[in-house]
Amino acid sequence: MPIATLLHDLSNAVGPSGREDRAAQIITDFFTSGEGRPWISNLHRDRLGNIILRKTGRGEQPPRIMLAAHLDEIGLIVTALEDGFIRFSTIGGIDQRVLLGQEVIVHGREDLPGVIGAKPPHLQQAGEGNNAVKIEDMTIDLGLSPERTAALVRVGDPITIKRRCCALKNSFYAGKAMDDRAGVVALVDCLRRLKDFNHEAEVLAVITVQEELGVRGAIVSAYGLNPDIGLAVDVTHGEMPGLADYEAFKLGQGPVIVTGPPVHPLIFDKLKAAAETGKIKYQVEATVTPRGTDAYAIQIAQAGVASGLVCIPLRYMHTSVETLALDDLKETGRLLAEFIMQIDHAFVEGLKCY
Amino acid sequence: MKDLLQRLTSIPGPSGREDQVRAFIQAELEDYCDELTVDTMGNLIAFKRGGKTKLQFAAHMDEIGVIVTAIDEQGFLRFGKIGGIRPHRLYAQRVRFQNGTVGVIGAEKIDDLKELTLEKLYIDIGATSAAEAKTKVSVGDIAAFDHEFVDLGQRVVAKALDDRVGCAVLIEALKRVSKPQNDLYCTFTVQEEVGLRGAKTAAFGIEPDLGIALDVTGTGDTPEAPKLAMKLGQGAAIKIKDVSLITHPQVKELLSTLAEQNGIPYQFEVLPFGGTDAGAIQLTKAGIPAGVISIPCRYLHSPSEMVDLNDVEAAVRLVVATMEHPVTL
Amino acid sequence: MLLKELSELHGVSSGETAVRHYIRDRIQSRVDRIETDRLGNLIAHRDQGKKGPRVMLSAHMDEVGLMVVGIDASGLLKIKTVGGIDERVLISKRVLVGPRRIPGVIGAKPIHLQEKEERERPVKTTGLFVDIGATDRSDAEKDVKIGDLIAFDVEAGPFGDGLFKGKALDDRVGCAVLMNLLENEYDLPLAYAFTVQEEVGLRGATVAAFGLNPDLALVVEATSAGDVPPLKKHQASTRLGAGPAISFMDRSVIVNPALIQRLAAVAEEAGIPYQFRESTTGGTEAGVINRTRSGIPVAVISVPCRYIHAPVGIISLNDFTQTVKLIDAFLRDIEQRGLPV
C-alpha cells in the first residue's frame, strides 16, 4: 500500500479520543492480515486500547526502544438533546471559531450527518459579529424530528468533523486528524524500512490513544513497557502568516528534531547523527514544556526513560484542514529507522553517564 | 439511608483530615467485609471475597474546606482553600474546626463583588487577641462548612454530600450484596478534592481489573442552568466523560446493560468540568478500564448540596448488580 | 565557600550537568554508591549495613532561566522562559548563554524612543532578546545553538547583616543542606537525591521517588519570604531569620499532621528556631513523591528566601545553619524512635 493511501485512509477514519476503535481497525488489519504482517513479531492491544507493534531485537536482552504516535483525533461529544437539536462539548482542545457552519457526523446508533448551525447575519443584532460564538451556544442540526433524534442519539455519543483528505499541489495533503495520524504513518513507514534489517534493539511501536485528553495512552503504555528509550513522533507548527520563524517550521524540509527538558541530550545528539548518516534533511526546535506530546509522559514513566521527540511540520493544527508535505512523513520514517539501527547496548549504558 | 446520610454528612472531614469519617465507616462495615485496611495515604479499603476479577469501587471521604495560614494580632484567622471553593460561596458562612471551634467568614471592605477574592476573607472565631485565638486554633488547622442536614422528603440537603453520598451508596451496597461474583475492593479514598490523590495510590496497591468511582455530578434542571442532560430523580448517572476520564466503552456497556437488565433507572452523563477518582485509577500502572456511577447533585461545592433519594437507591442497586455480576473485560 | 560556588554554577532545568558534576566530585568519597539516572538525577546512597526505615532526602539542582529558541538575521537570540519567571524582571540584565557561558545582555528600547504609555506595560518575552554582540546569524551560530540554556550572571556573596545573596538559591541552598548532612554519620539507610527539572514540573523527583521507593521523604527547599513591602504581615508566608520553615500544606501536598508535630517537637527539644510556612500556594517535589506507588509520607523543610525566581535572592545564613541542624536532629530522632507515621 503506498504511504499516501494509508495517510488518506487514516485521515478519513473516525477515532476521537477514547473512541479510537474504527481508526485502530485500519492498523490492526494492516498488521494482522495485511502487508505489514511480516514486518513485526506480534501485535497487542492493551487495556486502554493502545496498539503495541513489537519487532524483536538481537540477543537475550536487547535495548528496548518505544516509538509512540497517537491515533486519536480531537472531536465533539453530545451533552444533551434539546427539541431535536444536539448540544455538545469538546473532546480535546478545539478552537470554537472553526466549528461554526461545519459539517459533522454524529456517531449515534448509526452515523448521522449533521450541521453546526450558524445564525444568519440578517437575524443578528448589531455588533454580535464582533464576538466569537461560544460552543455552549451552538447546536447540531440533524434535520430529523425530535423523536427520531432521540431514538438515534444519546448523551455521550461522539461526534467528528466530516472531512475527506485531499491532495494539494506538490504532494501536500490536507485533511482532518493529520495530528497525529501523520505520525502513525511515519511509524508504519519506519517498520517497513526495518523489515529486512537485523537491528540490535527491540522495537515497540505504540499507536497510542487519548493523547488529546492528556497523553493518557502514553502514560500507561510507557509504564507497561518500561523501555530504555522512548521516542514520540508528533506534529509541530508549519510556517504560515502570523507565526514567527522560530516557532514554525518549513514544510518539505524534513522532520523537526526537538531539544529541551523533555528530551535526553544524548538522544537529541543521536537523532541528529542518524539524520546525518542517512543524509536526511532536518530542522531543530527548542521547546520548554511540550505537555501536549507523548514524550512528556514517557520520560517520567517508572524510574525514568531516555526520551526524544521528532515532529512533522503541520499547518493549521486542530482544524479540519491540517496540511502537510508527504515527503516529511517519509523522511521521518527514514530517520526513525536510521536511529533504531544505530542503537546498541553501549549507547544505552551511556545514557546514565553525562 | 436518610439516617446514614445525616450522620455521614455531619462529620467534618476536609482533605487530609478524613480520620473521623474513616472511623465512622470502619465501625459501620466491620461486620460486612472480610478485611478492613488503611493504607499509607489514609485510604480505607474494605475487602470482600467473591471471584477472580478484581473490582475497585472508590468513594471519597474528604470534603472541601479551609485551612488556617496565619493568625493576626487581633485574632482574626487568614486561610487558604482546600479543594475548589469560590470566594462567594464562603462569604458569611460558618465553618467548624475538628476540635469543635466555630467561626464565621467575614470580608474586608469591597466595593464590587468582583473584588471578592480569598485574600480578602478572614475567619472570626470571636477571639479578642492573637493569644486568645491561639488557644483555640493553630496555623495549619482545617475547618469544614458548618451546616445542618435538612430532610425535604424525597430530597435531602446537606454539606459534604460530595461525596458522603457516594460513601453511603458503597456502605449500603456492601451491606446488601449477598453473592458477590468478583473480589471487591471497596475503597473510601482521601484527598480527592485536591487532585484525586488517594485513589491514585490505592489503585497502585490494589491493581484492580476494573475501577468504578461513586461520586456526585452536576445537573441541568434548575433555572437557566448549564446545558446538561442530568436531572435529579431520573436515576443513577453513568458517566461517559468528564475532564479526567472518557469511560472505557466496555465499562459503559457493562453498566448500562446491568441497569437495563435489572430495571434500574439511569441516565448517561457528560460533564464538561470536574473529575473523579476514576480518572486517577485508569492511569494506574499499565492502565485500568474505569467508569463512574454518579449521583446527580445540585449546588455542588456549596454548604447546601441536594440529592434525590431515588437516585441514591438506583446507584445502590447498580453497584450491587455490578458486584453480583461475574465481570469479564 | 560552598553556597557561593553552588549559586554561581549554571543549572537551568534540564541543563544541570555543571551542578551535578560539582556535587558529585565533592561527595563521592563520603557515599557508599552514587549514580546518575536517565533524567540526570544524582542519587547518593548511604545505606551499607544500615537497618531501619529508608529515608530519601531531596533537593533540586535546577534553577529557573531562559532558553534560546531562535536566532534572528541580525544575530540576536530569541528567548523563552524556563520555569516560572516574572517577565518584568528580565529587562536590562546580564546573562550567560549555553554551557560555554557566553556573556550576553537582555536589551531594551531606550526610554527616549518610547511612548509614555509603553512604560506602563510590561515587555513580554516575545519582545525580548539576548544580545551576545554577534554581527549576524552565522556569527551567533559559532557560539550559540538553538536550545541553549541561559542563566543570570550574578555574583553571590555575603550581604547585609548575616544574609547571603545570589541567584539560584532556590534550590542550591537545599543542595548545600544535603551536602552538609552528608558530613554526618546516621544509623539509617539514607538516599540523597539531587534532582533535576523541578522548575518545569517536578519531573526529576517523580522518577527518583519511583526508583527509590523510600519509607519517608524529606524535601529541602527554598521558599518565598514575603517579609517585605508591600505585603501585609499575614501575607508574608515566611520571614528571614526566623529559622527553617515547616510546610503543612501547599498546592501539591497535604503533610501528615503527625509528621509536622514530630518535626516541631524535635525543634523545640533541640532549641532550634522554626516557623510554619504560612501559605498554601506553590508546589514542591513533595507532591509527586507523596503520590508515588502506594503513597510515601513526605515533609517539606525550607530555607526562607526573598525575591525567589528573580535574578538575585536573599537568604539568612543562620536559617541555613538551623535548617541543617533541624534535619540532623530529626534524623537522630528517627534513629531513636522510628518513623512518626
Side-chain angles (χ1 to χ4, degrees), chain A residues 27-217:
Chain A
I27 298 296
T28 49
D29 285 351
F30 186 87
F31 282 102
T32 53
S33 52
E35 192 185 337
R37 190 174 170 181
W39 305 353
I40 59 168
S41 317
N42 66 297
L43 177 152
H44 166 70
R45 240 186 136 190
D46 75 12
R47 297 202 287 183
L48 257 57
N50 295 299
I51 304 170
I52 299 162
L53 307 165
R54 183 167 150 270
K55 181 170 189 268
T56 49
R58 283 204 308 265
E60 286 289 292
Q61 283 184 310
R64 300 169 76 244
I65 305 177
M66 170 176 170
L67 306 175
H70 70 90
L71 185 63
D72 59 315
E73 63 184 304
I74 52 175
L76 305 169
I77 185 165
V78 178
T79 53
L81 302 181
E82 195 177 301
D83 309 323
F85 292 91
I86 293 169
R87 294 276 180 189
F88 59 91
S89 142
T90 57
I91 298 178
I94 290 193
D95 180 350
Q96 58 190 4
R97 296 170 304 175
V98 308
L99 291 175
L100 221 51
Q102 202 69 265
E103 286 188 68
V104 297
I105 303 171
V106 177
H107 305 285
R109 292 194 199 271
E110 54 192 72
D111 282 355
L112 302 159
V115 167
I116 300 179
K119 198 168 168 185
H122 320 72
L123 303 180
Q124 290 179 14
Q125 315 245 316
E128 217 179 304
N130 295 336
N131 295 318
V133 179
K134 287 199 164 76
I135 201 159
E136 42 284 22
D137 296 328
M138 296 179 197
T139 52
I140 292 170
D141 188 342
L142 295 181
L144 299 174
S145 68
E147 295 73 31
R148 282 278 290 154
T149 304
L152 292 168
V153 180
R154 302 189 73 180
V155 169
D157 287 343
I159 304 162
T160 52
I161 304 289
K162 184 183 173 192
R163 180 73 71 210
R164 305 290 297 177
C165 173
C166 74
L168 307 177
K169 281 165 68 72
N170 296 313
S171 286
F172 278 33
Y173 283 80
K176 71 170 180 70
M178 294 296 186
D179 170 9
D180 182 32
R181 309 268 166 86
V184 172
V185 173
L187 255 56
V188 173
D189 188 58
C190 163
L191 289 169
R192 180 180 65 79
R193 289 172 195 276
L194 289 175
K195 68 184 154 75
D196 300 324
F197 290 95
N198 182 20
H199 41 81
E200 184 169 338
E202 173 175 320
V203 180
L204 301 148
V206 186
I207 314 299
T208 60
V209 296
Q210 299 196 31
E211 191 269 357
E212 300 288 358
L213 294 179
V215 297
R216 291 181 192 160

Side-chain angles (χ1 to χ4, degrees), chain C residues 250-268:
Chain C
D250 63 28
R251 215 179 55 237
S252 68
V253 72
I254 298 172
V255 181
N256 189 314
L259 206 41
I260 298 170
Q261 279 156 20
R262 180 78 77 88
L263 273 167
V266 164
E268 276 156 30

Side-chain angles (χ1 to χ4, degrees), chain C residues 45 57 62 72 84 86 90 99 110-111 147 150 152 156 161 175 181 214 219 225 250 253 270 294 304 331:
Chain C
H45 299 268
L57 296 155
D62 64 314
D72 76 9
D86 182 344
L90 293 175
I111 192 165
I150 304 172
F152 295 115
D161 222 353
C175 296
L181 289 165
V219 175
D250 63 28
V253 72
S294 291
L331 292 173

Side-chain angles (χ1 to χ4, degrees), chain A residues 223 226-229 245-247 259-265 268 272 284-289 291 295-297 299-306 348 351-354, chain C residues 13-14 17 20-21 24 35-41 67-71 78-83 126 137 145-147 149 197 200-201 203-204 206-208 210-211:
Chain A
Y223 186 97
N226 195 22
D228 298 304
I229 295 170
D245 59 356
Y246 63 86
E247 58 188 356
T259 180
V263 174
H264 193 293
F268 175 66
K272 287 194 297 183
V284 171
E285 176 176 4
T287 185
V288 178
T289 52
R291 283 170 208 282
Y296 199 69
Q299 186 186 33
I300 57 165
Q302 298 218 12
V305 175
V348 170
L351 292 170
K352 289 185 172 185
C353 307
Y354 71 106
Chain C
S13 307
S14 80
T17 307
R20 181 167 53 243
H21 289 178
R24 191 170 59 198
E35 57 183 339
T36 302
D37 72 11
R38 287 181 184 142
L39 266 78
N41 294 309
M67 179 191 262
V68 179
V69 295
I71 303 173
K78 301 302 294 183
I79 53 178
K80 273 193 181 155
T81 55
V82 179
T126 43
R137 180 182 280 145
K145 295 188 306 297
I146 303 289
L149 296 162
Q197 299 197 28
V200 291
R203 299 176 60 80
T206 305
V207 302
F210 189 95

